[in-house]
Structure formats: structure tokens, C-alpha cells
Amino acid sequence: MNPLLDFSGLPKFESFSPALVKPAIEQLIADARRTVMDVCAASASPSWTNVVTPIDDVTERLGRAWGMVGHLNAVVNSPALRDAYNDMLPTITQFWTQLSQNEALFAKYKQIRASSDTSAPNTPPIGELSSAQKRSLDNEIRDFRLGGAELSLADKASFQAVQEELSTLMSKFNDNVLDATNAFGHIVIDEGELAGLPEDAVEAARELAAADGQAGWKFTLQAPSYMPVMQYAAGQPLRELMYRAYVTRASELGAKAAWDNTAVIKRILELRAASAKLLGFHNYAEVSLAAKMAETPDEVINFLSEMAAKSRPFAVQDWHELQAFARGHLNMAEVNAWDVAYASEKLRQQRYAFSDNDVKQYFPEAKVIAGLFRVVESIYGVKLSSSAAQTWHKDVQFYDVCDRDGTLIGQFYFDLYARENKRGGAWMDDAINRRRIGGTEDNSGTEDNSGSSGNRGNSGHIQHPVAFMTCNFPAPVGRGDQLRPALFTHDDVITLFHEFGHGLHQLLTEVDELGVSGISGVEWDAVELPSQFMENFCWEWDVLQHMTCHVESGEALPRALFDKMIAAKNFQAGMQFLRQIEFALLDMVAHTSFDVETDTILALAERVRHEVAVIKYPHFNRMPHAFGHVFGGGYAAGYYSYKWAEVLSADAYAAFEETGVLNAETGARFRREVLARGGSRPAMESFIAFRGRKPEIEHLLRHNGMKLAA
Ligand code: ZN
């Protein structure tokens, strides 16, 4: 049997081969299309059972099979698999696009949702929907609307035309930045100009020049070449030259008029505003927030302004300290924008010198994993144990997550080491999502009767969630007696906790409906709550005591080193905060009150800087022209999400600080009100249910060393 068509349990990795992709996916798409057609053509009055369940069934199968292909393509890539993947990608994309524009289906979803509103609240009839089901339908209906499904025929055509032009322009924006970045190269001939640069950066520059058949050293605007110059090059002229090239990329001051993003930005903002108007919103920020936790652009702007006001005194202090240090120790009369990274690095070294490599010796893999599991088991009352399953590589580990009484809750794969043909970075992905299968709608009481998650009755059986957790840490070296365990940097440890937080959101869900179980249906600006929350434990002395063990001496992390790590973490936190807030405000204002006739993005950027920035930007700075998150990516009116989610996670963690960070009662409440609920209700409701109030920003400031005087 084709393993991609076998949904009887865990994925059958051992019998997978790339040649099986096409037949399986084609069959699943054909099945799905047929089911969609049957469902849409049926004359019976639409219900959850005769519409949503069959659509969920077929799309889940396709999603699971394609998810397995995508996962393998990322972690054990090969030419044959890549071809098989790319070969099917357009067909898959087309299927999802058509489904999201299927008006007959949209009409049925609306009918089911409307009929659930008309029944009397105290006497739910047979077929009454649970709150999770309502939430799931509301999400579907919202996405149909945002896709233009309710527009008149003429408006639909305009909307489509706007979308197409937008996607072309966003791609053009990215191409311009990329071309402008790639085109730049600066050759240094005088060795004296290299003073201060680390050896590896000098060697890389020599190789770049040699590759061009030139003598000397070549520097580019790619991060591995640009960053060391800004951070370490002692000569100011080289830093200034590189800085100027970097911040004028893709602008009218850049190397080539064809790469100037000025008009592209203007048109993108104009089109986004136009699409918002067509959908009946005041501006594009409202469209973006429709699927997010933040409710209105004003709420976001107020949030950012408050953060700016509170972090500003600390940023001013950082800035003054940097200037004083530069005058006293670096002979700089003035700190220019191109001196900031250089002077900061010198100050950081002077204050908190310690080596990442020294820290790493305290974090051997087994000790770290045991430390992570100890935290998770203590606060959530679960048991994690090694288990067996088919995998895609010999280094992959597999675990069961059980409740205290031994009941299986979920399972996960750990693929921790970097290797050839594996995509870089770290991420969590769903392999199987929790849902109740075969349950009849025998709801015999009020909704929410099955406990915490707004599920329907208890019939049928539960499909347990399964997660992939993928990282790229160094593998153990040597073999046999000479085997040296994998050592993780502190950053690696934080990454592991972060991804595990996403994993727990997926695994500890108690929701029965596919569309809103685990991380499905969670608002975009709340998704990072459970993951960033977990990072906090990596900065906790009591946790680190049990999670560190020097690879040679066996000693736990010394307190003095820990204190330095904490101090270095908060170095210039005020300035970094303010910089992120400046970008987020620019993004939000550009998508609410930008007037295409009278405004320019530069004037807007200038206003925002005037309001929040402490560092003086040179007049030639054209940062918006390379702001890819917002003009070339998915963060339009969404850049604030980084800080937003950090506030949520810091405040959630503060609840643990108040009761003891491994407090099981607080953990049980977090599990019940946040993790278990997944996307089945608004994230704000879950947060308030856990914390007893709305989020407060003080905790994030405090965690970053910005404690306000009382
Ligand atoms: Zn994350």
C-alpha cells in the first residue's frame, strides 16, 4: 500500500519513496474534489455532519499526506524528492485556492452558522453546535469574506485585479532589494583598513575578491560580510561607506534607478487601501487585524506608544552611556549611525566579557533534554518517555506524552542535529492534529459539557496529536569510547525550549474540532505566546542548576557566569526596544493614515522617528525602501506582533514567578486555559481566563532589565 494513503496511525516513513508522491497526491485531490462537489450539490439542509465533517475528512487526508512530503523534503532532501515535491506544488496550491473561493461551500457554512444562532440557548436541539464548532465556522466564514467572496461581480473583478497587481509589486519590491544588495561590492586594497576585523571575516573577504579575480579584500552587503564590518572595523571611513550603501539600497539614492522602490511602496500602499475599501473596511490595518488578537489599529498604536514611552528613558540612558564610552575610550567626538554597532560591541566586551564557548561546555545534550523534560513534567503534570516509531533518519528520536495516570495524550519526533540535505533553522510542525472521529451529535445538555474546551459529547474516539520538532544543533562527535556528547550553546537551548513551547500547544490541546485544535485557528499575533513563554525558563537559576553539567568537570553552571549572561542579555535593551517599536509604528501608520496624494513614506518615517527614536539618523537613510517584512512579505500591519506576543508571554510567565516558576497549580491553569484551548476561543479570552485580567506590559520591561521606579 502507498504509505501516503495509509492513515491508520503514525506515518510510515520506511516504505516512502519519491515515486509514490504523484499517484498518492493525485488520488487524494481527486477524492477531495469529488467530495466537495457532492457536498455542494446535496439538497439536504446543510449541517455540521453533512458538510463540515466530510470536507474536514478529505482535506485532512490531503494535508497529512502533503505535510509528510513537505517534511521529508525539508529534512532529508534529495533531487528526486525535490522534483516530486515541486512537480505537485502547483496542483496543491490550485486546489486550496479553488476551495477558498468556492461560493456554494461558503453559502452552506453561512447557513449552518446562522441556524445555530436561532435556537433557544437553554434547549439546544439535536445538532446544536459546540462553541469550538462555532468558532471554527466563524474563522472559515471570515476567510471567505476576506478573500472577496461576498463582493458583487464587478467588485470581485476589481478585487482580483488589485490582488494580482499587489503580488507582482511585492515580488518586485523584494527583487529590487535583492538586486541592489547583490550588486554592491567594495574592494579594500590597503591592509590597514582591515584593522579590528576578526580573522575569519578577513579571510572570507579575501576569498570574495579572489573569486572575482581581484587582489585585496571584497566586502558586500550580505549579512556575513556587512555585519562584521559594522561591528568590528576600527576605521570609520570603511564603516561609513558600507553603512551608506546599505541604507540607500533600492532607493532613489541607490546605485540604479531601476531598483528604486519609491514608486513601488506608494503603489503597494494605494492598492492595499483600495482592497480594504472594497471589502468594506476603513483601511488596510483593519483587514490585517480581522484575523488577529488585537482588535483595532488604535489599540495597536496605543500599545506601541505606551511601550515607547516606558522604554524611552532606558533607551536614552543606553544612548548616553554609549556616547560617554565612545568619547572616553574610543576617541569619538560624536557617535554616528555607522558607529553605533562598533562602539556598542566595544562597550559590551568591556562590561560582560565571557565566551559562548565556555558556556557551551555546561550544556551537554542529555542534561539539557532532561532539564527541559523536568520543567515540562513539573508544571504540566505530564510524563514524557522515549518510545518507538518509524523515522526518516537514524538520529531521530520519538517520545510519548502521557497524563499522570498513563493515558496517552500525544507523541512527538525530535530531529535535533544539523546534517547535509536538511533545511536550516528550527521549527515545529504538525504531523497529526487532534480531533474526535466518528462522534455522533448526541449533545445531551448544554454546550461545553465535556469539560474545558467546548467540545461536543464523548462518543467516537480521539485521534491523538503528533508533532515534528526540528532543530539544527551540532551532533555528537567521535564514536565508541571517544564519543563526545553534543554540546549546545545557550542560544541553542533557548531555541529548543521555544520550539517545545509550540509543540506543547499542539500536543496538550483538548479540542475535538480539526479547524481549531492545537495551533490551528490561533490568532497570528498570539501564536508565539506558548513558545516565547518557554524561553523564560532558560534564564532561571533554579532551572539551570538542574540543566547544566560541565562536560569534563561535571559541575553545574557557576553563579558568576550566570550573572554575566543575564547582564549581557539586557545590554542596550532600551535602544533595541525602541528600534522595534519605531518599525512597528511606521508599519501601522503607513496602513492606517497614509494619504497617497499628499504623503511620502519618507516623511512618514521622519515623523515616527521624531516621535520615538533616540539615535539620530543621517538624512540619507532610506530604511523603508528595504523593509521587506512589510512591503515584500506577510507582516503588513503586523510587525507589532513581535512585541505583542512578547508582552503576552512575559506576563504569563510572571504568573509563574509569583507562585514559584515550577508551580504545578499555575502550570495546570496555563495548560487548561491556554494550551488546551488552542484556537477554540479568542486568545484574549484564554489569556484573561488564565491571568484574571488583560495583559500588562511591565513584565516584559522588567524581564529586559527595564524596571520602572515605583
Ligand atoms: Zn516560534
Side-chain angles (χ1 to χ4, degrees):
M1 184 182 190
N2 189 325
L4 291 167
L5 297 173
D6 180 350
F7 300 96
S8 61
L10 293 164
K12 314 292 185 293
F13 292 108
E14 283 165 12
S15 46
F16 173 85
S17 84
L20 301 170
V21 173
K22 194 178 162 78
I25 298 300
E26 279 178 345
Q27 185 185 325
L28 290 168
I29 288 186
D31 290 350
R33 282 194 203 285
R34 198 174 322 111
T35 301
V36 172
M37 264 169 54
D38 290 349
V39 163
C40 291
S43 54
S45 102
S47 71
W48 186 271
T49 326
N50 70 21
V51 175
V52 184
T53 303
I55 298 288
D56 273 0
D57 287 344
V58 288
T59 52
E60 188 202 8
R61 284 164 167 255
L62 179 60
R64 259 170 77 174
W66 186 244
M68 177 170 164
V69 177
H71 179 70
L72 293 174
N73 190 47
V75 296
V76 280
N77 197 277
S78 68
L81 178 52
R82 187 182 304 186
D83 286 349
Y85 180 84
N86 289 334
D87 194 28
M88 290 316 294
L89 192 56
T91 317
I92 289 271
T93 311
Q94 191 198 34
F95 171 78
W96 291 117
T97 309
Q98 285 174 353
L99 191 68
S100 71
Q101 289 166 357
N102 186 317
E103 290 181 26
L105 198 58
F106 177 44
K108 300 225 177 217
Y109 281 153
K110 276 198 293 190
Q111 259 179 288
I112 302 169
R113 184 66 180 89
S115 67
S116 75
D117 277 341
T118 53
S119 54
N122 294 327
T123 52
I126 304 292
E128 174 62 28
L129 298 182
S130 71
S131 58
Q133 289 171 328
K134 285 181 189 163
R135 177 83 177 158
S136 181
L137 277 173
D138 286 343
N139 289 351
E140 296 282 356
I141 291 166
R142 174 198 69 206
D143 292 344
F144 270 114
R145 286 193 173 129
L146 293 179
E150 279 187 329
L151 298 179
S152 71
L153 223 53
D155 281 352
K156 229 174 233 170
S158 323
F159 186 77
Q160 200 51 43
V162 166
Q163 297 307 314
E164 276 162 27
E165 192 183 346
L166 257 178
S167 83
T168 310
L169 281 174
M170 285 164 69
S171 160
K172 174 79 182 144
F173 181 96
N174 288 329
D175 289 348
N176 285 345
V177 175
L178 195 65
D179 289 348
T181 306
N182 289 339
F184 178 86
H186 173 65
I187 298 275
V188 169
I189 298 295
D190 174 7
E191 197 169 356
E193 284 184 47
L194 306 176
L197 280 170
E199 248 169 65
D200 57 341
V202 172
E203 177 56 20
R206 198 194 55 75
E207 280 171 17
L208 279 178
D212 282 359
Q214 304 213 43
W217 298 266
K218 182 179 172 182
F219 294 93
T220 72
L221 300 180
Q222 315 284 358
S225 180
Y226 177 74
M227 298 305 286
V229 171
M230 300 314 292
Q231 234 176 333
Y232 299 106
Q236 202 183 41
L238 179 63
R239 291 201 311 271
E240 183 177 349
L241 181 149
M242 294 290 290
Y243 176 84
R244 187 181 284 266
Y246 193 81
V247 302
T248 55
R249 282 176 306 160
S251 76
E252 84 284 10
L253 303 176
K256 206 170 176 180
W259 297 329
D260 182 2
N261 270 335
T262 307
V264 179
I265 292 173
K266 196 178 165 93
R267 183 70 182 148
I268 285 176
L269 290 174
E270 190 175 15
L271 289 169
R272 283 180 181 158
S275 72
K277 290 265 152 41
L278 280 169
L279 294 172
F281 293 92
H282 294 102
N283 52 54
Y284 186 78
E286 289 183 359
V287 179
S288 164
L289 297 185
K292 295 191 174 82
M293 179 177 171
E295 285 181 354
T296 63
D298 275 351
E299 183 186 3
V300 175
I301 290 174
N302 290 340
F303 163 77
L304 293 170
S305 304
E306 192 187 349
M307 291 275 278
K310 293 204 162 141
S311 57
R312 198 183 157 83
F314 298 92
V316 170
Q317 190 185 332
D318 289 342
W319 179 229
H320 287 157
E321 282 175 10
L322 186 67
Q323 286 173 311
F325 173 79
R327 269 194 305 272
H329 294 81
L330 303 174
N331 262 329
M332 284 183 187
E334 183 183 8
V335 180
N336 296 295
W338 48 89
D339 303 321
V340 172
Y342 175 76
S344 298
E345 177 59 23
K346 289 279 172 291
L347 178 58
R348 195 185 67 83
Q349 283 172 11
Q350 193 209 45
R351 280 196 191 163
Y352 317 108
F354 67 85
S355 121
D356 287 341
N357 198 48
D358 288 348
V359 174
K360 194 172 157 175
Q361 308 306 314
Y362 290 95
F363 290 105
E365 177 183 357
K367 192 76 184 172
V368 171
I369 303 286
L372 166 68
F373 286 9
R374 175 177 166 267
V375 169
V376 170
E377 293 182 344
S378 309
I379 60 179
Y380 297 130
V382 293
K383 190 92 200 93
L384 307 176
S385 52
S386 182
S387 185
Q390 293 188 19
T391 69
W392 52 94
H393 190 277
K394 65 175 177 50
D395 289 342
V396 176
Q397 305 159 54
F398 185 73
Y399 294 89
D400 288 343
V401 183
C402 294
D403 245 322
R404 279 244 172 77
D405 64 4
T407 324
L408 185 70
I409 300 173
Q411 295 168 302
F412 64 92
Y413 300 85
F414 251 175
D415 185 355
L416 298 184
Y417 311 139
R419 59 171 177 268
E420 235 182 302
N421 301 319
K422 178 174 167 183
R423 201 210 307 155
W427 67 91
M428 191 288 295
D429 219 341
D430 47 354
I432 299 175
N433 292 313
R434 182 187 148 107
R435 68 183 292 205
R436 185 177 297 276
I437 291 176
T440 52
E441 294 178 30
D442 61 345
N443 200 321
S444 52
T446 55
E447 62 181 50
D448 286 3
N449 64 344
S450 66
S452 64
S453 300
N455 295 323
R456 57 196 137 122
N458 285 322
S459 54
H461 75 275
I462 293 297
Q463 170 176 290
H464 296 292
V466 180
F468 297 125
M469 283 181 252
T470 312
C471 298
N472 271 279
F473 302 148
V477 284
R479 51 182 69 218
D481 290 350
Q482 303 299 310
L483 186 80
R484 205 177 146 82
L487 296 176
F488 297 164
T489 65
H490 190 241
D491 276 348
D492 290 343
V493 177
I494 293 171
T495 300
L496 180 69
F497 273 65
H498 179 105
E499 298 311 331
F500 211 83
H502 285 307
L504 290 169
H505 206 182
Q506 170 71 7
L507 296 171
L508 298 186
T509 190
E510 288 168 18
V511 178
D512 286 352
E513 305 307 337
L514 205 55
V516 286
S517 85
I519 54 170
S520 307
V522 175
E523 295 100 314
W524 203 71
D525 46 355
V527 164
E528 296 296 332
L529 162 58
S531 53
Q532 292 177 345
F533 164 79
M534 284 297 291
E535 293 181 20
N536 289 289
F537 292 99
C538 305
W539 297 102
E540 207 59 69
W541 176 241
D542 290 338
V543 171
L544 286 173
Q545 283 300 287
H546 292 94
M547 200 166 69
T548 51
C549 158
H550 193 279
V551 68
E552 265 141 31
S553 71
E555 276 169 30
L557 186 75
R559 181 78 205 198
L561 185 51
F562 171 74
D563 289 341
K564 277 190 187 176
M565 289 162 67
I566 292 279
K569 164 185 179 248
N570 296 335
F571 178 56
Q572 290 185 345
M575 268 169 39
Q576 282 166 25
F577 249 69
L578 222 46
R579 195 176 144 80
Q580 288 298 309
I581 292 165
E582 177 195 327
F583 294 166
L585 264 178
L586 173 63
D587 166 42
M588 205 33 103
V589 178
H591 291 99
T592 46
S593 53
F594 184 81
D595 184 335
V596 204
E597 302 299 324
T598 58
D599 237 341
T600 69
I601 192 73
L602 283 180
L604 200 63
E606 193 48 52
R607 288 207 295 277
V608 170
R609 282 170 193 168
H610 185 72
E611 205 180 311
V612 295
V614 291
I615 297 172
K616 251 183 61 202
Y617 286 90
H619 61 89
F620 56 78
N621 183 295
R622 295 289 182 272
M623 171 269 166
H625 291 72
F627 198 3
H629 274 79
V630 164
F631 297 115
Y635 281 78
Y639 198 81
Y640 76 92
S641 301
Y642 286 109
K643 278 281 165 275
W644 183 272
E646 274 182 56
V647 163
L648 299 177
S649 57
D651 193 355
Y653 191 70
F656 286 81
E657 292 173 315
E658 287 155 16
T659 55
V661 293
L662 297 183
N663 185 287
E665 253 172 72
T666 314
R669 198 168 74 246
F670 189 69
R671 177 178 167 188
R672 186 177 69 238
E673 301 296 354
V674 177
L675 299 176
R677 295 287 186 146
S680 69
R681 67 178 177 191
M684 186 61 92
E685 268 179 42
S686 294
F687 187 91
I688 292 173
F690 166 63
R691 204 64 174 102
R693 55 161 174 76
K694 286 189 158 192
E696 292 171 353
I697 68 178
E698 278 67 24
H699 302 287
L700 178 60
L701 297 170
R702 178 171 54 80
H703 288 163
N704 285 274
M706 292 185 271
K707 196 164 160 35
L708 299 164

